[in-house]
Amino acid sequence: MNILQSIILGIVEGITEFLPVSSTAHIVFATKILQISATQFTKSFDIIIQSGAILAAVLFFGKKIMSSRQLMLKSIVGFIPTGIVGLLLYKKIKELLGNGSAIAWVLILGGIAMLFLERYFKDKEDREGKDEIDTELGMQAGVEGKVENQEGMNPVEIKLQKTYASITLKKAFLIGCYQCLALIPGVSRSAATVYGGRLLNISREKAVDFSFMLAIPTMVVATLYDIYKNASSFNNDQLGVLAVGFLASFFVAYAVIASLLSFIKKNSFNVFAWYRIIVGILALLFIF
């Protein structure tokens, strides 16, 4: 892998990390298109450059998380299931990164599942005659007095705890369990966590926010663990390629995170579902 290829992959990662289309699948497909040989290094590269995009999320959400002990705790609790399962299945996950055709099929099946889920939530909202956010606001109102009476909390923390009151520690853990699905290459982490949150009666907006927050400990730990396992095998040229890919991913993600976040909060995921299906089919026909 050369520097130009590293930049291209970093750009792909920076754009796709925050969309429900599986950044891992896109990196694997782009690697194949660029005729980069699949090696242990390229598999580590795929994981490590995701932290560039996550660094953008840290800058975007970090202050908010650090301002609230509850949000920080919920993010950690949400990470626990993925951390345990990821550690146990680390070798198997790395092997799956080399199976492009399987990833394409997961992309297609995931898109079909998203179409069904979008229809389910639309029908549910129509039956109830209101958006799920009404339920969430009612839950927040129920805990508002309790939050205000807690000692040692500043106004910012109180406001944040009210805002994310519907995401209890139990629900944070369950969303983390849904995130475990994303350990399968081709399953979008953001899609798994957002839909997991919505199935737990959390509004799309708050589910998207928490999905991004949960990405921070998840990807940081995944990257550090992969570096711990493989760094000694990287040569100086590979370290340079990694650094360039990381920076490209970070700068692109930082430039687009606000607009992408706003879009996926306000719009149906149907367009992403069809995109996944089309890209998966094209990958099977022309790449693999």
Side-chain angles (χ1 to χ4, degrees):
M1 185 187 302
N2 58 43
I3 294 296
L4 178 58
Q5 292 170 330
S6 175
I7 292 173
I8 293 172
L9 294 177
I11 292 171
V12 172
E13 167 59 33
I15 294 173
T16 58
E17 176 62 37
F18 304 118
L19 296 176
V21 297
S22 178
S23 62
T24 299
H26 282 73
I27 293 296
V28 171
F29 296 166
T31 299
K32 188 71 173 179
I33 292 171
L34 293 171
Q35 298 182 336
I36 300 171
S37 300
T39 63
Q40 192 64 38
F41 170 74
T42 59
K43 293 176 183 178
S44 294
F45 179 90
D46 296 348
I47 295 172
I48 293 171
I49 65 167
Q50 292 182 53
S51 289
I54 297 307
L55 180 58
V58 170
L59 296 181
F60 197 85
F61 285 105
K63 185 176 180 181
K64 181 181 291 186
I65 296 175
M66 295 302 292
S67 298
S68 170
R69 289 167 293 182
Q70 278 293 312
L71 269 182
M72 194 183 306
L73 179 60
K74 289 172 183 178
S75 297
I76 294 172
V77 168
F79 160 72
I80 291 173
T82 313
I84 294 173
V85 176
L87 181 64
L88 294 175
L89 300 180
Y90 173 77
K91 289 184 178 180
K92 187 63 178 178
I93 294 167
K94 292 293 287 281
E95 290 175 7
L96 290 174
L97 287 172
N99 193 336
S101 58
I103 293 174
W105 276 111
V106 172
L107 206 65
I108 294 168
L109 295 174
I112 294 171
M114 287 170 63
L115 290 175
F116 279 104
L117 285 167
E118 285 296 321
R119 184 56 183 267
Y120 167 77
F121 289 118
K122 180 67 168 59
D123 290 345
K124 180 180 179 181
E125 290 170 7
D126 289 343
R127 287 195 305 270
E128 294 177 351
K130 59 182 179 179
D131 190 80
E132 291 173 354
I133 195 170
D134 294 332
T135 302
E136 181 178 354
L137 289 173
M139 293 177 66
Q140 289 178 205
V143 300
E144 184 171 332
K146 180 180 178 181
V147 172
E148 289 179 335
N149 291 330
Q150 290 187 21
E151 297 181 358
M153 294 179 63
N154 58 51
V156 173
E157 185 170 0
I158 291 173
K159 181 180 179 180
L160 287 171
Q161 188 159 333
K162 290 179 185 177
T163 302
Y164 297 98
S166 61
I167 305 175
T168 62
L169 288 175
K170 179 181 178 180
K171 289 186 177 182
F173 181 83
L174 291 174
I175 291 173
C177 292
Y178 282 109
Q179 183 175 244
C180 290
L181 294 172
L183 293 172
I184 303 171
V187 175
S188 166
R189 194 202 61 78
S190 59
T193 50
V194 170
Y195 282 126
R198 297 195 72 195
L199 288 169
L200 295 170
N201 291 320
I202 298 168
S203 73
R204 181 192 294 270
E205 182 178 358
K206 298 302 180 294
V208 168
D209 273 353
F210 190 67
S211 173
F212 279 49
M213 295 176 193
L214 188 54
I216 296 172
T218 301
M219 293 314 305
V220 167
V221 172
T223 298
L224 291 176
Y225 186 73
D226 196 273
I227 290 174
Y228 165 73
K229 295 288 287 186
N230 300 294
S232 60
S233 64
F234 300 157
N235 59 44
N236 290 336
D237 289 340
Q238 289 175 328
L239 290 174
V241 166
L242 271 175
V244 170
F246 177 93
L247 290 173
S249 173
F250 165 71
F251 284 117
V252 171
Y254 188 74
V256 302
I257 185 172
S259 56
L260 293 182
L261 182 63
S262 175
F263 183 85
I264 64 176
K265 279 183 177 181
K266 298 175 181 177
N267 294 276
S268 163
F269 281 8
N270 281 333
V271 63
F272 300 114
W274 284 113
Y275 172 83
R276 288 174 60 103
I277 293 170
I278 292 170
V279 169
I281 292 173
L282 291 176
L284 287 173
L285 291 176
F286 299 108
I287 302 178
F288 302 103

